[in-house]
Amino acid sequence: MSQRPVPADRLPAWGTTGLQAGQVEKQRGFGFNDIVPVEATSWRVVARDTARDPMLWFLVLTAGLFGLLGQVGEALTLLVAIAPLVGMDAYLHRRTAASSAGLASRLASSARVLRDGRWQDIPSRELVAGDLAEVRPGEYFPADGLLVSGEGLQADESSLTGESFPVAKRCIEPQRVPPSHAAEEHWGVAGTRLLTGKAWLRIVWIGSETRYGEIVHSATQGSHAATPLQQAIRELVTVLLVVAIGMCIVLAAIRLWHGHGWIDALLGAVTLAVAALPEEFPVVYTFFLGAGVFRLARRKALVRRAVAVENIGRVTCIVSDKTGTITAGVLVLAHRVPAQGEDEASVLQAATFAARPDSGDPLDDALHGAAGPLPEATKLSDFPFTEARRRETATWRLADGAASAFTKGAPETVLAACDMAQSDRADWLARVQEYGRSGHKVIACARRGLLSGSSIDEEPAQGLRFVGLLAFEDPVRDGVREAIAECMAAGMRVVMVTGDHPATAAAIARDIGLDGRAVALAPDEDAGTVAADRGIHVVARATPAQKLMLVQALQAQGELVAVTGDGVNDVPALRLADIGVAMGERGTRSAREVAPMVLLDDNFRTIVDAVAEGRQLFQNLRLAFAYLLLVHIPLVIGAAAIPLMDLPLLFLPIHIVWLELVIHPTAMLAFQDLPAAGPLAAVRRGRGARFFSTGAWWGIGIAGGLVSAAVVWSYLHALGADQDVEHARAMALAMLLVTSAGITAGLTKLRQPAARWLVGGTLASLVLIVQAPVISRLLNLRPLHGSDWALVGLAFAVVVVATVALASRLRREPE
């Protein structure tokens, strides 16, 4: 983190002097310490946000048109489809409010300040610049300020910076460092927690001016833009709707010109309108998203915004946090290196005797967790860690009555206090550097026996006996290496971004297979330059603003970016990303609430599984839309071409209803659960909204045209010279339904039970309705002859072969 220079008017008092009432009122001009804004939650706000959804208005308009046409069932179907969309918009608004509550959960609700010469507790929003606040171990800093008093201060900044280890803090000395030039170690910032020591904090920045406030502001900006697939569906539906309306007007006019009268003209136009209105596309899209949410949940990926199902399958780049995402986010004792004459158990025991079990320091917790119960002993005195001493010592009287001092701390400090040859000290320091290069946090341990009568009020500074080294690590999560290898094999770019030390980040990157170059960003460096170099896979010392900058730069280059993270520092990037993925176990509430997807098991492997699931759903949705187009093209052409030839209508409204009863369930059920045909496919880069490639469009157009020709020819062939309209309609309907079944069989390869049942049901209903004389007469049809069924069977075989080839092409295309 980097801080701004401190203006003089921010510090009306200094040292350990509190503010007076008059100074507080004057400083109130800087505002209140409202870091998280209060979100409006009235139903009017929810209704306003919901009304902005264009897909909602399209469904309302389409339902109204069906109502005017008398198709009450279709209108009700669309109105029912509106309900989950409205509910989703309302839920998203509530999620935004919950996000603000989650951001506020990491802030102090009250503060203890020195005013008018006495300490008093006030709501944290009442803090002003210049206040002197007291922060105790385990408490969050209430605002950004300079540390003016305290010893042994360490802070947990992992949720704000990504730094996995405790950060040592030091009080500023104005006579040596003026406040305007304070370093990061002198600051306590909102959203971070004090681990050890008791600090006095001189408040400098409050509210939206704090580092935390800047993150909140970034997180609450922006809007939910339509996804590429939503845009593509909207454009396709608009084109089809305009063409359908135009065709209806033209058909009605031509039928009148042919002298068929108003009733015939209106019936033809209404039938064509019902056949051509593309209401299935948004309904099928909504249905598939719902199915995707369920399937991802089975893979431990909770989707909080349904369009994330689409976006996760189109990801080309993953920007991942390190701590808690790629690594476990905990300190684990990885190596014990005893000195000569010692063993691993004695090294751990010496360090644990020097550690306090209730310090809140993750390193102390790791030591006590690894050592278990210590031998019976009585603590005589302790000397907590300070930045100046860089070590911690405790004296104990052991069970045998002897008193000993145990010390742990920075290796260079502890080794300097030990009796050993200079060459041996150099060798041990070389080992420390070796562990440091591999990303470990290393401490040294020593002990010294105390003679009877020795003072226990002074910390031994010389003559210690070196016991050994302990190296800690934040381990990589299971499955991460394999997951990253699979992503990179599919052409996806993986960038690990962390606020941690460059050496630690580089070591983790090598461990997980990210062999590209690592860069460490300067505080004010433009992170966008990293995006241009595809050889860079690791970015260290990144601030939240730089992470956001990196995501924006990658998106500008056409990447579809997924951002993973678990901390408050990840919130802006999680919101801006095409798909934000938060950790469900270790993630902060604010990260979970902002991200549209949450990993319930915090496993990076689950991200790859979710990408694979999203891509398969996208492929299945393309197959479903290909089916709709291949069936609707002959349906519309048949409903328009025959009347334009001045022949009796091919389809009556009852026939259209029958066809829709086949088309709707087939489109929604036959394709949504198709299994993956192979490993994670290669990605197609670019942010365009193309749903089908040019080649696929040509394939759909040619196939649809041939089926249309077959339907029209079958009608004309069966009509014959005797103008047997019922026979002709039966033949055309049989041809259309059989080709529909063939299209389903070819696109799905009948790999799922639903596809097999729907194909079989379509063919069985055709035989029953056409060949049963009672039913066929009610539908104005006539049973078919054996030669008719032979032609229909031939058409079925040809369509299956053609659509199998088309499906193979669609599956080969990258998403």
Side-chain angles (χ1 to χ4, degrees):
M1 296 184 299
S2 61
Q3 294 288 348
R4 296 160 287 176
V6 181
D9 60 354
R10 290 276 172 172
L11 298 174
W14 189 241
T16 57
T17 303
L19 297 184
Q20 300 300 312
Q23 292 174 309
V24 172
E25 290 304 316
K26 182 179 179 180
Q27 295 298 97
R28 186 65 68 198
F30 292 111
F32 287 92
N33 187 34
D34 290 324
I35 297 178
V36 176
V38 179
E39 295 286 342
T41 57
S42 69
W43 67 267
R44 292 185 181 86
V45 176
V46 176
R48 181 197 63 197
D49 292 343
T50 303
R52 293 174 178 172
D53 190 345
M55 190 68 73
L56 178 70
W57 287 109
F58 169 74
L59 290 175
V60 171
L61 177 61
T62 308
L65 288 175
F66 268 94
L68 292 175
L69 295 172
Q71 300 297 319
V72 178
E74 298 292 341
L76 291 176
T77 299
L78 291 177
L79 291 176
V80 170
I82 288 173
L85 291 179
V86 174
M88 187 180 301
D89 285 339
Y91 172 75
L92 289 177
H93 183 86
R94 289 185 58 191
R95 185 171 63 83
T96 301
S99 172
S100 295
L103 289 166
S105 68
R106 298 192 69 82
L107 299 173
S109 59
S110 63
R112 183 172 175 80
V113 297
L114 182 62
R115 289 181 179 176
D116 295 327
R118 63 184 181 88
W119 289 100
Q120 50 188 292
D121 293 322
I122 64 171
S124 61
R125 77 179 304 264
E126 298 290 338
L127 280 172
V128 298
D131 259 326
L132 182 65
E134 181 185 80
V135 183
R136 298 173 181 175
E139 294 179 349
Y140 286 96
F141 291 102
D144 291 3
L146 292 167
L147 296 163
V148 297
S149 178
E151 289 189 358
L153 303 179
Q154 294 186 95
D156 174 12
E157 296 185 342
S158 60
S159 66
L160 200 61
T161 67
E163 176 66 64
S164 57
F165 300 127
V167 178
K169 294 293 181 179
R170 188 172 60 175
C171 296
I172 189 171
E173 301 176 23
Q175 63 275 20
R176 298 178 57 188
V177 179
S180 58
H181 293 79
E184 185 56 43
E185 62 185 1
H186 300 132
W187 286 89
V189 295
T192 68
R193 184 165 56 97
L194 184 65
L195 290 175
T196 60
K198 183 171 70 172
W200 285 7
L201 185 75
R202 181 67 66 178
I203 305 300
V204 177
W205 305 109
I206 62 173
S208 60
E209 296 173 323
T210 63
R211 170 65 65 181
Y212 199 98
E214 292 175 353
I215 291 176
V216 172
H217 179 74
S218 298
T220 54
Q221 298 305 302
S223 59
H224 298 299
T227 65
L229 184 51
Q230 285 178 320
Q231 294 173 5
I233 294 174
R234 188 179 306 155
E235 293 171 1
L236 175 62
V237 166
T238 301
V239 170
L240 293 178
L241 190 60
V242 171
V243 171
I245 292 174
M247 290 177 64
C248 291
I249 295 173
V250 171
L251 178 60
I254 292 178
R255 294 296 283 182
L256 287 173
W257 182 64
H258 285 161
H260 288 283
W262 282 102
I263 295 179
D264 183 277
L266 182 60
L267 182 61
V270 168
T271 302
L272 178 60
V274 175
L277 285 177
E279 86 285 356
E280 294 98 343
F281 291 93
V283 172
V284 169
Y285 173 73
T286 303
F287 182 84
F288 268 60
L289 289 187
V293 169
F294 174 73
R295 292 174 63 175
L296 287 173
R298 290 188 301 185
R299 291 185 176 267
K300 298 187 180 299
L302 176 63
V303 175
R304 306 179 71 93
R305 187 177 177 215
V307 293
V309 177
E310 172 196 337
N311 283 342
I312 192 65
R314 305 176 69 249
V315 164
T316 63
C317 178
I318 297 178
V319 176
S320 176
D321 184 35
K322 177 186 73 70
T323 304
T325 305
I326 290 177
T327 65
V330 295
L331 279 179
V332 174
L333 179 59
H335 303 283
R336 311 177 192 184
V337 187
Q340 186 175 4
E342 303 286 346
D343 56 25
E344 292 186 358
S346 65
V347 179
L348 176 58
Q349 188 176 94
T352 309
F353 267 123
R356 290 173 293 165
D358 56 350
S359 68
D361 188 332
L363 189 145
D364 287 352
D365 293 342
L367 284 172
H368 282 278
L374 292 172
E376 185 177 348
T378 303
K379 179 179 282 191
L380 303 177
S381 62
D382 61 4
F383 306 90
F385 180 93
T386 66
E387 186 63 28
R389 293 170 28 256
R390 296 184 61 77
R391 67 180 186 273
E392 183 173 13
T393 302
T395 59
W396 293 81
R397 186 173 303 282
L398 305 180
D400 58 5
S404 293
F406 298 90
T407 298
K408 69 175 177 69
E412 60 274 17
T413 301
V414 174
L415 286 167
C418 294
D419 289 337
M420 64 171 56
Q422 188 62 33
S423 59
D424 292 339
R425 184 176 290 109
D427 290 341
W428 282 107
L429 288 175
R431 289 197 186 188
V432 171
Q433 291 178 352
E434 183 179 349
Y435 277 116
R437 284 192 294 269
S438 61
H440 290 80
K441 180 179 178 67
V442 185
I443 63 171
C445 314
R447 64 180 296 172
R448 176 181 169 182
L450 300 178
L451 299 176
S452 178
S454 298
S455 173
I456 61 173
D457 296 328
E458 295 182 5
E459 179 183 20
Q462 296 294 330
L464 277 68
R465 176 184 174 184
F466 182 62
V467 179
L469 301 176
L470 295 176
F472 298 81
E473 67 179 7
D474 185 3
V476 173
R477 290 186 176 277
D478 293 337
V480 169
R481 299 174 186 86
E482 296 78 7
I484 287 181
E486 190 170 345
C487 288
M488 299 184 75
M492 294 173 61
R493 184 177 180 183
V494 180
V495 182
M496 185 177 75
V497 180
T498 177
D500 216 337
H501 192 279
T504 303
I508 295 295
R510 290 192 298 270
D511 195 15
I512 61 178
L514 287 178
D515 298 326
R517 291 183 289 110
V519 297
L521 296 176
D524 298 324
E525 186 175 350
D526 183 359
T529 58
V530 175
D533 190 342
R534 293 188 59 82
I536 296 176
H537 292 289
V538 182
V539 181
R541 292 303 191 204
T543 66
Q546 288 171 322
K547 187 171 185 177
L548 193 65
M549 221 181 301
L550 175 61
V551 173
Q552 291 172 321
L554 289 168
Q555 290 175 327
Q557 293 179 2
E559 301 280 4
L560 273 295
V561 184
V563 172
T564 71
D566 64 348
V568 175
N569 61 313
D570 299 311
V571 168
L574 286 171
R575 183 178 179 86
L576 179 70
D578 296 282
I579 172 69
V581 184
M583 302 297 109
E585 291 181 349
R586 289 185 53 84
T588 58
R589 181 182 174 187
S590 53
R592 294 195 304 269
E593 294 294 351
V594 165
M597 181 176 290
V598 177
L599 300 186
L600 300 179
D601 59 358
D602 284 15
N603 196 331
F604 192 87
R605 169 78 247 179
T606 305
I607 299 172
V608 180
D609 292 340
V611 170
E613 194 71 65
R615 290 192 184 179
Q616 185 58 41
L617 182 134
F618 188 73
Q619 286 279 24
N620 294 348
L621 188 58
R622 283 204 292 189
L623 293 174
F625 277 20
Y627 166 82
L628 288 173
L629 290 169
L630 288 172
V631 174
H632 268 279
I633 288 173
L635 179 61
V636 173
I637 291 179
I642 297 301
L644 291 175
M645 295 179 186
D646 197 18
L647 295 173
L649 297 176
L650 171 57
F651 300 125
L652 299 177
I654 188 60
H655 301 150
I656 299 298
V657 172
W658 177 24
L659 291 170
E660 291 295 320
L661 289 176
V662 172
I663 295 171
H664 275 245
T666 300
M668 289 193 291
L669 300 178
F671 302 94
Q672 63 92 14
D673 201 29
L674 294 179
L680 196 62
V683 299
R684 178 175 62 202
R685 303 195 177 278
R687 304 182 62 81
R690 293 176 60 193
F691 193 55
F692 295 115
S693 67
T694 302
W697 275 115
W698 274 104
I700 292 172
I702 293 173
L706 292 175
V707 174
S708 301
V711 170
V712 173
W713 175 85
S714 65
Y715 178 88
L716 297 176
H717 172 74
L719 186 64
D722 56 353
Q723 296 288 299
D724 191 346
V725 177
E726 288 78 9
H727 182 222
R729 286 173 176 160
M731 185 64 180
L733 279 170
M735 185 66 71
L736 184 56
L737 284 170
V738 164
T739 53
S740 168
I743 292 167
T744 304
L747 293 178
T748 64
K749 297 183 180 180
L750 299 178
R751 290 184 293 169
Q752 291 297 99
R756 295 191 289 269
W757 278 104
L758 286 164
V759 168
T762 298
L763 297 177
S765 69
L766 173 63
V767 173
L768 175 65
I769 292 175
V770 171
Q771 295 302 110
V774 176
I775 301 177
S776 62
R777 279 196 299 271
L778 291 174
L779 298 179
N780 295 302
L781 304 175
R782 191 183 305 279
L784 300 180
H785 309 304
S787 58
D788 297 330
W789 286 112
L791 290 173
V792 169
L794 178 61
F796 177 83
V798 172
V799 166
V800 169
V801 173
T803 50
V804 165
L806 178 61
S808 298
R809 180 184 183 89
L810 290 173
R811 290 189 178 96
R812 286 196 304 269
E813 291 179 357
E815 285 80 358

